[in-house]
Amino acid sequence: MPKRDLLSLAPISTEEIERLLGRAQFYKNRSRAAKESLPLAGRSVGLLFEKSSTRTRVSFEVAVTRLGGHPIFLSFDDIQIKRGETIGDTARVLSGYLDGLVIRTYEQEKLEDWARNASIPIINGLTDLHHPCQILSDLLTILEKRGKLKGLKLAYIGDGNNIAHSLMEGGAKVGMKVVIACPKKFMPDVGIVKETQSVARKSGGKIEVIHDPIQAAAGADILYTDVWVSMGQETEKRIRARQFKPYQINSKLAAQAAPDVLIMHCLPAHRGEEITAEVMEGPRSVIFDQADNRLPMQEAILERWVG
Ligand code: CP
Ligand code: NVA
């Protein structure tokens, strides 16, 4: 059987997403002491991070442990890649020791290089282009709060970045209407927009990219945002602060949405930039539920890809 990787949500079917949501709910409801399901017993999973992480790293480490496996955290700074060893050689060597590898890196092409050279499953823990594990757990949060996904309008306000891309891919698969409101200079990837629009046509969803945050927020069931400066973009901080100023989720923008709107953010957040403290801490915010749901979804992902 060919090895399976999770590099983006594009090749994942709607049925597969539904199965993962079901398994995540199973892991969430399972008591911590329950030993009936240890699909990673005797297995070791590497967590190889080239960028900072709080949620992804810790939730994966705990998830591997809860499933009976052994997580091994590896920082790019500590392995021989830093001294010039190739991804190809490292991937071949690590494949001999490990049963799976979660990787957080910059270019998607680098992740694909790992996947080509490794004989074990590679899971995307975030690249510049995608953050599939985040969006799978966000779908779990929306499903829990709304009881459905299909037909909901999600307005993403801000940068056309990795989160926006994975939201478009996941949203299109489950029949949501995803509207991205971003400045003209910071649009999502054109290829991903086209592809997800075509997927959405089949699922009954819709993908739209516009520039007016108020129009995007109108009647939205979900308002979602992310940082204006992603990891690796620190030198663009000033121009981004100017460009994204009208794209803040504040109480005025939230008032355009449905009265029972869910306010979402993948975290880490910068209060007073992409979202106000008032909205973030307000009654419509499910931001910390999102963070909690990373753990059961990582368990479902590990069971599916490594178990
Ligand atoms: N949302 C998210 O991926 O957080 P971390 O960068 O802390 O992993
Ligand atoms: N877009 C952000 C997401 C962090 C989880 C980044 O890439 O830094």
Side-chain angles (χ1 to χ4, degrees):
M1 207 168 78
K3 128 183 125 81
R4 301 166 298 186
D5 300 305
L6 173 54
L7 306 185
S8 78
L9 294 179
I12 314 298
S13 68
T14 306
E15 294 68 37
E16 177 110 71
I17 292 177
E18 284 165 0
R19 241 190 328 272
L20 286 164
L21 292 168
R23 291 306 289 166
Q25 274 165 332
F26 164 81
Y27 281 117
K28 192 163 176 176
N29 296 328
R30 187 187 61 160
S31 91
R32 275 195 200 189
K35 288 271 183 286
E36 75 272 23
S37 183
L38 292 176
L40 262 55
R43 295 183 182 226
S44 300
V45 179
L47 302 161
L48 185 48
F49 281 58
E50 198 173 5
K51 294 175 171 175
S52 307
S53 173
T54 301
R55 282 145 288 269
T56 309
R57 172 183 173 174
V58 177
S59 58
F60 264 116
E61 284 200 45
V62 173
V64 172
T65 309
R66 283 200 188 171
L67 296 184
H70 175 215
I72 301 173
F73 179 75
L74 299 159
S75 153
F76 269 62
D77 282 341
D78 301 329
I79 60 173
Q80 294 287 11
I81 282 201
K82 200 185 171 192
R83 300 180 59 251
E85 187 166 20
T86 64
I87 288 177
D89 288 352
T90 313
R92 282 167 67 184
V93 170
L94 291 181
S95 295
Y97 308 145
L98 300 169
D99 299 288
L101 197 48
V102 178
I103 300 180
R104 172 168 287 197
T105 186
Y106 289 88
E107 298 86 359
Q108 186 74 11
E109 294 72 28
K110 257 200 212 170
L111 188 76
E112 286 162 7
D113 197 8
W114 281 97
R116 258 192 315 276
N117 285 285
S119 55
I120 53 173
I122 301 294
I123 295 170
N124 184 350
L126 180 145
T127 60
D128 295 343
L129 205 63
H130 295 287
H131 198 1
C133 301
Q134 174 71 52
I135 275 39
L136 286 171
S137 64
D138 292 340
L139 293 178
L140 174 64
T141 306
I142 298 168
L143 185 62
E144 281 178 347
K145 302 287 175 191
R146 282 288 168 274
K148 64 170 187 174
L149 298 171
K150 203 172 169 65
L152 295 178
K153 175 180 177 182
L154 183 151
Y156 171 92
I157 313 291
D159 191 13
N161 63 13
N162 41 14
I163 293 291
H165 294 147
S166 292
L167 271 175
M168 290 191 290
E169 289 190 344
K173 290 274 162 76
V174 299
M176 289 172 77
K177 176 174 183 186
V178 179
V179 185
I180 307 288
C182 59
K184 289 203 171 92
K185 267 191 184 339
F186 297 102
M187 307 260 288
D189 178 89
V190 183
I192 295 176
V193 174
K194 286 209 174 110
E195 183 55 34
T196 54
Q197 282 175 335
S198 125
V199 172
R201 272 194 288 277
K202 286 171 218 138
S203 71
K206 197 170 181 193
I207 304 294
E208 246 186 290
V209 181
I210 61 174
H211 304 296
D212 179 357
I214 296 174
Q215 192 188 330
D221 298 294
I222 300 132
L223 281 182
Y224 198 124
T225 191
D226 182 19
V227 289
W228 291 342
V229 182
S230 284
M231 291 179 275
Q233 300 171 337
E234 290 74 13
T235 56
E236 298 174 15
K237 198 170 184 327
R238 280 178 59 197
I239 176 188
R240 285 174 170 269
R242 268 201 310 276
Q243 289 273 329
F244 284 107
K245 217 166 175 213
Y247 294 85
Q248 182 188 64
I249 298 191
N250 50 38
S251 45
K252 199 171 151 218
L253 191 72
Q256 308 296 318
D260 60 351
V261 64
L262 304 177
I263 305 288
M264 300 184 75
H265 191 311
C266 56
L267 298 175
H270 293 91
R271 290 171 175 78
E273 292 182 26
E274 73 275 5
I275 189 165
T276 58
E278 187 193 1
V279 172
M280 191 162 161
E281 305 298 344
R284 306 305 324 146
S285 170
V286 296
I287 292 171
F288 289 92
D289 299 285
Q290 284 177 262
D292 285 347
N293 276 339
R294 298 297 305 276
L295 178 55
M297 183 49 81
Q298 314 300 35
E299 290 182 85
I301 289 168
L302 287 162
E303 174 189 65
R304 163 71 178 80
W305 271 273
V306 186

